[in-house]
Amino acid sequence: MLNSWLIPDKIPKKADAICCLSYDLSWDKTRLAKQGLACVIQALELYHTGMAPIVIFSNAHKEYWRVEAHKKSRIARGMGTPLNALINLKA
């Protein structure tokens, strides 16, 4: 995972954007997998500390990318993130 490559004293204080990479959906395609949910929450926590003005979500599923994007946006909105701070990339 990326976080194992980061050196704590080298983590930037500011960035242009925070990118949350796609993980798998649950087996029934109705919710984010545990790792995906953790990534979304971590990205949004960084956003709310003021690290970057934008959160970019990648959505890897060709068939289900809209489901994945909707779930991530819903979580973000629930955490008080404005829609204009979110970018969902299509698979």
Side-chain angles (χ1 to χ4, degrees):
M1 298 298 198
L2 276 180
N3 61 352
S4 65
W5 295 346
L6 294 176
I7 302 168
D9 62 339
K10 300 287 185 178
I11 296 175
K13 303 285 186 229
K14 292 283 186 184
D16 294 330
I18 299 163
C19 186
C20 179
L21 301 177
S22 182
Y23 283 87
D24 203 359
L25 293 170
S26 61
W27 64 272
D28 61 356
K29 308 296 186 225
T30 61
R31 59 191 181 279
L32 298 175
K34 185 168 54 172
Q35 302 92 335
L37 179 59
C39 180
V40 169
I41 290 171
Q42 185 175 22
L44 294 169
E45 287 174 346
L46 290 171
Y47 169 82
H48 286 286
T49 66
M51 178 178 263
I54 297 171
V55 179
I56 301 170
F57 295 126
S58 70
N59 301 291
H61 296 278
K62 289 185 180 184
E63 292 179 53
Y64 300 102
W65 76 269
R66 283 187 179 90
V67 172
E68 189 176 359
H70 176 73
K71 301 286 183 198
K72 291 175 180 178
S73 294
R74 207 166 128 202
I75 293 166
R77 295 294 297 140
M79 291 179 68
T81 311
L83 282 177
N84 64 351
L86 303 174
I87 297 174
N88 273 295
L89 300 178
K90 183 179 175 181

